[in-house]
Amino acid sequence: MNLAVCADVGSTYTKAAVVDLDGGRLVAAAAAPTTVGTDVLHGLDTAVGAATAGLTAGDLPWYVCSSAGGGLRLAVIGYEPLVTAQAGRRVGLSAGANVVHVAAGRLGAADLTALRAARPDVVLLVGGTDGGDADTLTHNATRLARARWRVPVVLAGNTDVRDDLHALLAAAGVPVTAADNVLPRIGVLAPAPARAAIREVFLRHVIGGKKLSRGSRFARLVRAATPDAVLTGVEVLADALGGDLAVVDVGGATTDVYSVLTPDERDTGPSQEVTGTLWRARTVEGDLGMRWSAPGVVRAAAEERLLAAGEEDDLAAAAAVRAADPGYLPAGDADRAADRRIAALAATVALRRHARGAATGERAGRDLRDVKLMVGSGGVLRHAAPGDAAGVLAAVLGDHAGGWPLPRAARPVVDVDYVLAAGGLLAADHPDAAAALLRRHLGGV
């Protein structure tokens, strides 16, 4: 067989899969704890070794993504908060980044201090539509140059001044990459060039600088940040199935939501978003998770009035135990029930925020009524009994009090075999295999 290894180095576990490239079939899979405390290659090699045990296919190509060490931390600097800064934030999320800081307007001394305090891995510098205002973008680029800024910058603003500002930053020693404008004109959001540039910078400057591994082998293996690979997998699946879909990924620290919608007349007329519609979107809820962020789930659920009478105190106690021990494993029926409840609440709140537009910056929210497939992901769902995982997705799809239009005919499915990341990793070099893998395991084909 023509095989390839796909691996995701996560913050807690490293997952490896062996895929038959000729038929898009999952041949084997394994997982091992991520060894951030020593060298992530130890855990990666262990997981891949377990997945390939018994195979006699010789040396296989490796496709690796990573969110270890905090993933990709991105800061966005824009022209003003409601248009270009918001557009930049949404593009950054689509590139798989954790957006840790957003600034708008002309940078001053206090703004630079706040930017440094956010400790970004990359800065996305945007501002002005093509042919529009260039003063703010020029001021901010000049300010970074004079501040001897050394964090990589992706310059994706007004193309009229892009070349001059690229030269200015480069001459000052700033690692800078230019891309087309994320908002070339009002109402048109163009994420692809900036997303590609952010991915390039992540691979060239960031992954090797996180000191996750002693040598250069890990940096050479990694092809994408994990959320970027997953969104690519979601896009491949949506294209293969020809319809809208959504994914909710419940992790230990965050809950990510991905959705792919079909462009139509919803993006025209007086209600059109000034920043444009991002038809393929990702949002990150940093206060919702199964371990580190479990207390945030309880707080958010209480604010959303999702808790039953008398439930909050017991659930808060269970959440505190999980936050104190990220490697916590539930023991007993009551403990596992608490895990399921936290997962259902995290998924429900995350979908509410995503659909309402609170997390995407879309005033009208995201219309998920035509979603045909609702995919659940994350270890809490992959390792749960089928009925328990189905119950989590049922809570999301039955959230009639959430203030967002529910999918009218969505089929729930759990990414038990963790193929979304693998499909995204294979998409560029082996698109047919990626599509076949995703259709077979998630699309019911």
Side-chain angles (χ1 to χ4, degrees):
M1 290 185 288
N2 181 20
L3 305 179
V5 170
C6 298
D8 169 27
V9 182
S11 58
T12 306
Y13 286 96
T14 295
K15 288 81 66 178
V18 180
V19 178
D20 173 12
L21 298 177
D22 292 329
R25 290 179 174 82
L26 185 65
V27 176
T34 297
T35 48
V36 175
T38 55
D39 188 315
V40 292
L41 283 175
H42 298 159
L44 176 60
D45 288 337
T46 298
V48 172
T52 57
L55 298 176
T56 57
D59 292 335
L60 304 180
W62 287 29
Y63 294 80
V64 180
C65 58
S66 175
S67 59
L72 170 59
R73 296 172 60 87
L74 182 78
V76 178
I77 302 173
Y79 168 51
E80 55 83 42
L82 294 180
V83 184
T84 53
Q86 187 59 251
R89 177 178 179 272
R90 288 158 62 185
V91 169
L93 287 169
S94 77
N98 176 19
V99 179
V100 296
H101 183 74
V102 178
R106 297 164 70 92
L107 292 176
D111 301 307
L112 279 173
T113 299
L115 179 62
R116 293 186 192 278
R119 297 180 295 106
D121 297 317
V122 180
V123 172
L124 177 60
L125 183 58
V126 297
T129 55
D130 289 343
D133 176 82
D135 290 344
T136 302
L137 182 63
T138 299
H139 170 89
N140 291 340
T142 303
R143 190 80 194 220
L144 291 177
R146 291 176 177 172
R148 299 181 180 178
W149 187 258
R150 292 298 178 263
V151 173
V153 171
V154 171
L155 177 63
N158 188 337
T159 56
D160 285 12
V161 293
R162 179 183 58 199
D163 292 345
D164 290 342
L165 296 183
H166 181 277
L168 170 73
L169 289 164
V174 180
V176 58
T177 300
D180 289 346
N181 198 345
V182 300
L183 195 73
R185 61 183 186 274
I186 292 297
V188 176
L189 187 57
R195 180 179 170 186
I198 293 169
R199 181 187 302 120
E200 176 189 345
V201 170
F202 174 74
L203 298 178
R204 191 171 71 239
H205 294 286
V206 177
I207 194 65
K210 286 186 172 290
K211 299 181 180 179
L212 300 170
S213 181
R214 292 186 179 88
S216 60
R217 177 174 163 238
F218 181 65
R220 292 197 306 269
L221 287 172
V222 174
R223 298 177 181 237
T226 298
D228 187 21
V230 172
L231 180 56
T232 300
V234 172
E235 293 170 335
V236 170
L237 179 59
D239 290 341
L241 298 181
D244 294 3
L245 64 84
V247 176
V248 57
D249 184 359
V250 184
T254 70
T255 297
D256 294 5
V257 180
Y258 305 79
S259 63
V260 175
L261 308 180
T262 304
D264 61 15
E265 67 278 358
R266 288 175 291 191
D267 197 32
T268 62
S271 64
Q272 179 184 6
E273 293 287 340
V274 173
T275 52
T277 298
L278 197 60
W279 297 105
R280 301 176 175 214
R282 165 182 172 259
T283 53
V284 181
E285 303 303 336
D287 62 330
L288 307 178
M290 293 302 302
R291 296 295 180 259
W292 294 271
S293 306
V297 175
V298 180
R299 289 191 295 269
E303 292 172 0
E304 294 277 352
R305 300 182 180 180
L306 286 167
L307 300 180
E311 183 183 19
E312 185 172 353
D313 289 345
D314 289 344
L315 206 57
V321 170
R322 286 154 174 77
D325 179 11
Y328 182 82
L329 295 175
D333 292 342
D335 217 12
R336 285 188 284 271
D339 249 25
R340 292 195 300 271
R341 181 61 172 152
I342 293 172
L345 292 171
T348 300
V349 173
L351 257 295
R352 282 187 176 190
R353 293 175 178 175
H354 184 89
R356 289 171 180 165
T360 60
E362 293 165 294
R363 293 171 302 168
R366 294 185 67 76
D367 189 347
L368 305 183
R369 286 176 295 179
D370 292 334
V371 163
K372 297 297 187 294
L373 188 68
M374 177 68 73
V375 181
S377 186
V380 66
L381 297 181
R382 287 196 300 275
H383 301 306
D388 293 340
V392 171
L393 294 182
V396 173
L397 293 172
D399 181 29
H400 295 284
W404 61 285
L406 299 177
R408 292 173 287 202
R411 179 174 66 87
V413 64
V414 175
D415 186 10
V416 175
D417 297 307
Y418 198 65
V419 294
L420 277 171
L425 285 167
L426 293 174
D429 293 347
H430 305 281
D432 292 341
L437 177 72
L438 295 171
R439 281 198 306 265
R440 179 172 289 109
H441 288 270
L442 298 175
V445 180

